[in-house]
Amino acid sequence: MSVSFALLGLLESGPRHGYDLKRSYDEAFGRDRALHYGQVYSTMARLLKNGLVEVESEPGDGPDRKRYAITDAGITDVAEWISRPEQPEPYLQSTLYTKVVLALMTGRDATEVLDTQRAEHLRLMRALTKRKNDGDLADELICDHALFHLEADLRWLELTAARLDRLAAQVRP
Amino acid sequence: MADQPLLTADDVHLSFGETRALQGASLHVYGGEVLALMGPSGSGKSTLLHCLAGILTPESGSIRYGDRDMATMSDSDRSTLRRGEFGFVFQFGQLVPELTCQENVALPLRLAGAGRREAHRQAASWLDRLEVPDVAAKRPGQVSGGQGQRVAVARALVTRPKVIFADEPTGALDSLNGELVMKLFIAAAKETGAAVVLVTHEPRVAAYSDREAVVRDGRVREQEPAR
């Protein structure tokens, strides 16, 4: 979903060939996963069908003779997408919660479950911290986003560890 | 990382009145590593740090620095050890308000007998390293919290200690300044080869460590040394 809006938004600065569009996307957003050309062209085909882009053809053959330009309807769509808040994802019934409750119900060591998970979380946080400190501002922002989410999980793991006795009293038959 | 621990706590017990702060805490700190001590407040992590640093003496159990038992050392040997081999960074209130930042950083060197000129030269170079050369002539009350903590880090590192004890070093800072302090602190510690024992309740600060130990109810659950 966000790939098509990102491509559309990139066209706002001027018409581009599919190849340029892919390169711009990869530079700005594709740090972990570069786009495939196929994905660019299939997305453009869909946007074209919906009237959000139009094609300026140049003489010759092949897809790279096509320059894509955003339409007024496209600009409106991008504006609407940017201003719309994303649905927050509270993960209310997480896998972790299920594991902890099941461990308590079945007499397994729930502290061990939480500690193993916190070590795993912190391991990933270390890797992201290193990557962020070795990288540029874009790396920093992308890694920080992940780090704050992991930190929230880790705080939950800590709080749950501190409340295991109470939880055990509730869930044990 | 050396195989022999630099610092070892073995079955340490310590109470404050009715409160049993440490109840059999054991921990190893290896040369050059950054070890995060985490755990809920009241778990005993700061008490353990103070025991490791020779500031508090356990009721039972032992703290060894290399092959020396800290309990059997004289008070003056212990303070020589603290001045020469250990550095400290706390949450706040550790700089001398009457001295300039440069004088604060130079102070440990002066106490160790260095000449004024040499101590100030080294202090200036550490303020540079921590990216706060501009605060040299200012007093701690005239600089921001983040700058003050960087001065405190410079002061902890200036004697090139073997171990730096840091108790919530970013606790009084916002995220952005906290991150900057940690980044510069850990890079500088790695450069000098100092081990860091870092007490923190913030996971993002702990992420600057090489490994963590979780303190709960006065005991330690230690992760394997990172190799």
Side-chain angles (χ1 to χ4, degrees), chain A residues 111-112 114-116 118-119 122 125-127 129 132-133 140 144 147-148 151 154-155 158 161-162, chain B residues 36 38-40 175-176 179 183 201-212 214 216 221 223:
Chain A
T111 308
E112 183 67 27
L114 292 167
D115 279 350
T116 306
R118 74 169 280 134
L122 205 59
M125 288 182 75
R126 277 194 199 101
T129 300
K132 154 175 130 163
N133 286 332
E140 206 173 306
D144 268 339
L147 280 165
F148 278 111
E151 181 180 35
L154 227 150
R155 285 184 188 281
E158 266 172 11
Chain B
M38 297 195 74
S175 308
L176 205 56
E179 294 268 342
K183 184 177 167 178
H201 69 279
E202 292 180 79
R204 271 175 311 108
V205 171
Y208 282 86
S209 68
D210 299 315
R211 68 185 181 104
E212 68 160 342
V214 182
R216 273 196 206 109
R221 187 181 183 282
Q223 302 287 346

Side-chain angles (χ1 to χ4, degrees), chain A residues 126 128-141 143-144 147, chain B residues 34 89 126 128-131 146 149-150 153-154 157 164 166 169-170 173-192 196 198 204-209:
Chain A
R126 277 194 199 101
L128 287 165
T129 300
K130 183 168 187 325
R131 181 171 150 191
K132 154 175 130 163
N133 286 332
D134 294 344
D136 57 14
L137 180 60
D139 281 317
E140 206 173 306
L141 291 171
C143 291
D144 268 339
L147 280 165
Chain B
V34 180
V89 182
W126 274 105
D128 247 9
R129 177 70 186 75
L130 273 301
E131 299 178 9
Q149 276 311 72
R150 285 192 260 167
V153 169
L157 282 159
I164 297 173
T170 63
L173 305 177
D174 61 68
S175 308
L176 205 56
N177 274 300
E179 294 268 342
L180 186 57
V181 166
M182 284 312 294
K183 184 177 167 178
L184 293 166
F185 175 18
I186 298 308
K190 290 278 177 198
E191 218 173 274
T192 64
V196 177
L198 171 69
R204 271 175 311 108
V205 171
Y208 282 86
S209 68

Side-chain angles (χ1 to χ4, degrees), chain B residues 35-38 45-46 49 166-169 197-201 205:
Chain B
L35 173 67
L37 282 184
M38 297 195 74
K45 51 190 193 298
S46 287
L49 178 127
D167 195 352
E168 301 283 5
V197 182
L198 171 69
V199 164
T200 182
H201 69 279
V205 171

